[in-house]
Amino acid sequence: MEEAVVNGKLDDDKRLLNLKCSVQNYDWGRIGRDSSVARLFENNCGGLIEEDKHYAEFWMGTHVSGPSFLIQEDEGIEIVSLKSWILQNPKVLGDVVVEKWGSDIPFLLKVLSVGRSLSIQAHPDKDLAGLLHKLQPDVYKDANHKPEMALALTEFEALCGFISYEELDVVLEHVPEIKEVVGIASVDQVLTVNKHNGELKEERVLRSIFTKLMSVDKKVISKSLSKLVNRLNSEKETRPLTDKEELVLKLEKQYPDDVGVLAAVLLNHVKLNPGEALYIGANEPHAYLNGECIECMAASDNVVRAGLTPKYIDVETLCSMLTYKQGLPEILKGVALNPYTRRYTPPFEEFEVDRCMLDEGATVVFPALPGPSIFVVISGEGSMHTLSSEERVSEGSALFAPAEIEVRVTTESTLHLYRAGVNNKVLMNP
């Protein structure tokens, strides 16, 4: 295959670049080889998996907390960060991306292996992110917002957004432990709003209840949780518990005496099948509970936590920033681009994700786009071709594709891969 050469060197803006990527070992990650993240990292970087270690996230991108690297071999072997290489070669991003976001990739791609619940959290919008980063740069690492999307690799569970007002009414009637914590006056507010259909008051009432719950003394929470767990264990002997009740017992074992266990009762319990996706905007409460997923987001690591975590929590900021929208979130099932590929497009400018499931012997083409892409191979083996290069790929391969190059993928086995790129609507309508 003919290669594009400039000044005697391979023209990198016309070929795929192999990435060496970062791993995060958070306590909620799956342990050893039970974690897809561990196996991807092992294959990507050649490191040994520690069987007693938690492997939570595999990062692909330029964020300072988990940068990707590439190996240049033009004049000896040199390892450079993807971020620094892009700063020297901004044309690989395409004009639209550079004009809108500067000389950096605006998205961050991850694989998550969730063994136990992450914290109840939300991500700040741009204005709040800038303020938090200025005030506490050691906690809030950047000034960007972090809308995100989780695309299930396995069955995947999450908490996302607040339950409807009708469900809240039922919870306050049938979960006396929460009623005790937030007070009778708050319960009466809900009943009054429902009776008079006061939609404008719903947000204020929910905000009041949630803030009161999250702000209660830990001793009160511990006492209420003890009552709740004892009651559910007793009732379990005479009736089947609901999914939410079973979840409460599970979370309490993971995080004893944690207010997040009670807060979970007020949030939607969402279950995704493989190939289904959930997107989360700024200031929306959520927590991933179990399973493995592809996660894509704006290039940020800003998290405001308030429960189900031993990490730093900021209840006041979280309660003040939330939108308090109610009802079930939208589940994306993707739009078919061809027999093998489905595209998931959330309502965010920074990213979209393609899911590609190739059969043995199949070929698929990813058309040239005016923005960059990052590919990750989850399983299988195959080849990825451009006009100037060919790369053999397998489980753990991660590759950067510059703007304006077509990528053709072939395989002699089944091949499961994902592509993350800038939202196509932005690229085509700058």
Side-chain angles (χ1 to χ4, degrees):
M1 184 174 291
E2 205 173 304
E3 292 185 330
V5 176
V6 177
N7 297 325
K9 294 184 179 181
L10 191 65
D11 188 359
D12 284 340
D13 67 354
K14 302 298 183 185
R15 64 191 291 259
L16 295 165
L17 298 174
N18 279 295
L19 300 178
K20 299 302 178 185
C21 303
S22 299
V23 71
Q24 305 289 358
N25 302 103
Y26 306 136
D27 287 344
W28 51 260
R30 297 194 171 192
I31 300 174
R33 291 190 175 276
D34 185 48
S35 169
S36 291
V37 164
R39 300 192 300 272
L40 292 171
F41 181 64
E42 178 185 45
N43 292 326
N44 179 266
C45 293
L48 293 176
I49 296 175
E50 298 180 42
E51 293 300 338
D52 60 347
K53 197 167 187 176
H54 294 258
Y55 291 85
E57 298 186 350
F58 182 63
W59 287 30
M60 293 151 281
T62 57
H63 195 278
V64 64
S65 295
S68 296
F69 297 85
L70 53 89
I71 299 175
Q72 293 184 315
E73 299 180 352
D74 295 335
E75 298 177 352
I77 296 177
E78 181 184 7
I79 299 176
V80 299
S81 72
L82 178 60
K83 186 179 182 74
S84 64
W85 181 80
I86 288 174
L87 285 172
Q88 296 173 4
N89 302 275
K91 64 180 180 179
V92 300
L93 300 177
D95 292 341
V96 174
V97 172
V98 172
E99 289 174 12
K100 191 169 186 64
W101 289 288
S103 299
D104 202 0
I105 301 173
F107 59 87
L108 176 60
L109 180 63
K110 301 179 183 179
V111 179
L112 270 59
S113 291
V114 181
R116 65 172 181 167
S117 172
L118 281 70
S119 58
I120 290 179
Q121 59 185 254
H123 306 302
D125 58 29
K126 283 188 176 181
D127 290 341
L128 180 58
L131 177 61
L132 293 174
H133 178 60
K134 183 177 180 180
L135 295 175
Q136 296 176 276
D138 56 327
V139 175
Y140 303 104
K141 304 293 186 180
D142 56 75
N144 200 14
H145 67 164
K146 191 188 175 188
E148 65 188 27
M149 179 173 67
L151 174 50
L153 292 170
T154 65
E155 290 185 353
F156 193 80
E157 291 184 65
L159 296 170
C160 182
F162 289 102
I163 57 178
S164 69
Y165 217 79
E166 292 74 21
E167 289 177 272
L168 178 60
D169 192 2
V170 173
V171 164
L172 293 177
E173 183 179 351
H174 295 285
V175 187
E177 296 82 8
I178 288 184
K179 187 188 299 186
E180 288 178 11
V181 172
V182 301
I184 298 300
S186 296
V187 176
D188 289 343
Q189 279 186 298
V190 174
L191 295 174
T192 301
V193 169
N194 278 346
K195 184 177 179 180
H196 295 94
N197 196 27
E199 293 183 6
L200 295 178
K201 295 182 180 179
E202 290 182 1
E203 180 186 324
R204 292 199 299 271
V205 172
L206 177 59
R207 178 190 294 266
S208 173
I209 289 173
F210 187 73
T211 302
K212 188 172 294 186
L213 173 65
M214 301 303 290
S215 306
V216 167
D217 183 82
K218 187 166 184 176
K219 290 181 180 178
V220 175
I221 294 297
S222 178
K223 182 178 179 181
S224 294
L225 276 176
S226 179
K227 287 183 179 180
L228 176 58
V229 169
N230 288 337
R231 177 173 64 81
L232 292 180
N233 282 326
S234 175
E235 293 181 9
K236 197 173 186 178
E237 301 297 322
T238 58
R239 66 172 179 88
L241 298 184
T242 66
D243 285 352
K244 180 67 74 68
E245 289 171 332
E246 292 282 10
L247 176 62
V248 164
L249 293 178
K250 180 179 177 181
L251 292 177
E252 197 277 334
K253 287 182 179 179
Q254 294 178 359
Y255 300 97
D257 301 328
D258 194 306
V259 66
V261 180
L262 284 176
V265 178
L266 304 181
L267 302 177
N268 296 301
H269 184 195
V270 180
K271 296 181 180 180
L272 302 179
N273 294 313
E276 294 181 333
L278 172 74
Y279 65 83
I280 299 163
N283 304 322
E284 293 297 330
H286 62 283
Y288 297 153
L289 302 175
N290 187 52
E292 296 186 304
C293 73
I294 295 290
E295 188 182 38
C296 198
M297 64 204 66
S300 173
D301 194 31
N302 280 324
V303 180
V304 182
R305 302 178 181 89
L308 302 182
T309 180
K311 295 183 179 181
Y312 174 78
I313 65 173
D314 191 344
V315 170
E316 184 177 354
T317 298
L318 184 87
C319 291
S320 65
M321 68 189 272
L322 296 180
T323 62
Y324 294 97
K325 288 194 299 187
Q326 294 178 268
L328 290 170
E330 180 181 5
I331 303 300
L332 300 181
K333 297 182 183 294
V335 175
L337 302 181
N338 54 58
Y340 308 108
T341 310
R342 300 188 73 84
R343 174 163 294 170
Y344 300 78
T345 306
F348 312 128
E349 294 184 332
E350 287 86 350
F351 63 90
E352 66 186 15
V353 175
D354 293 342
R355 177 183 190 249
C356 184
M357 310 284 284
L358 276 178
D359 296 331
E360 182 177 347
T363 298
V364 71
V365 173
F366 290 87
L369 295 170
S373 298
I374 291 179
F375 291 86
V376 60
V377 177
I378 299 300
S379 64
E381 296 182 356
S383 297
M384 297 179 68
H385 313 258
T386 70
L387 286 176
S388 61
S389 66
E390 176 181 347
E391 297 289 343
R392 290 292 298 174
V393 295
S394 58
E395 180 181 9
S397 295
L399 304 99
F400 174 82
E404 306 295 357
I405 67 167
E406 180 182 276
V407 178
R408 182 167 58 92
V409 184
T410 60
T411 180
E412 298 81 42
S413 67
T414 57
L415 185 67
H416 182 185
L417 63 83
Y418 290 80
R419 181 199 73 90
V422 174
N423 190 315
N424 203 52
K425 295 176 183 177
V426 174
L427 294 177
M428 299 307 177
N429 301 285

